Amino acid sequence: MAKDHGKQIKNDDTYEALREEGYSKEKSARIANAQANSEQTPSKDGGKGKKYEDRTKEELYQKAK
């Protein structure tokens, strides 16, 4: 059973697993809380952009603005 980390950490099991893997407290908390929030889908939202190598110089400059 996971230790209760208070109301700051929404998913204690994930938090502890990440800490055991060597993640920092802050990063572990961010990941655990994002996974516990149904409005956030970190694994589904990422990875949809084109690779930097496939973008033109103009596209990269436009994205930076």
Side-chain angles (χ1 to χ4, degrees), residues 31-45:
I31 293 170
N33 289 343
Q35 288 180 348
N37 186 346
S38 63
E39 294 178 6
Q40 292 181 336
T41 53
S43 60
K44 293 178 184 175
D45 291 341

Side-chain angles (χ1 to χ4, degrees), residues 3-54:
K3 178 181 170 186
D4 183 16
H5 296 283
K7 61 183 177 181
Q8 297 91 349
I9 307 298
K10 307 297 182 212
N11 188 333
D12 291 317
D13 292 327
T14 301
Y15 176 81
E16 284 189 17
L18 292 167
R19 290 291 292 143
E20 287 175 5
E21 288 182 30
Y23 285 86
S24 69
K25 290 179 181 179
E26 181 181 357
K27 189 166 189 173
S28 298
R30 287 177 186 233
I31 293 170
N33 289 343
Q35 288 180 348
N37 186 346
S38 63
E39 294 178 6
Q40 292 181 336
T41 53
S43 60
K44 293 178 184 175
D45 291 341
K48 294 180 181 167
K50 291 170 41 178
K51 292 183 179 181
Y52 285 116
E53 295 83 11
D54 296 338

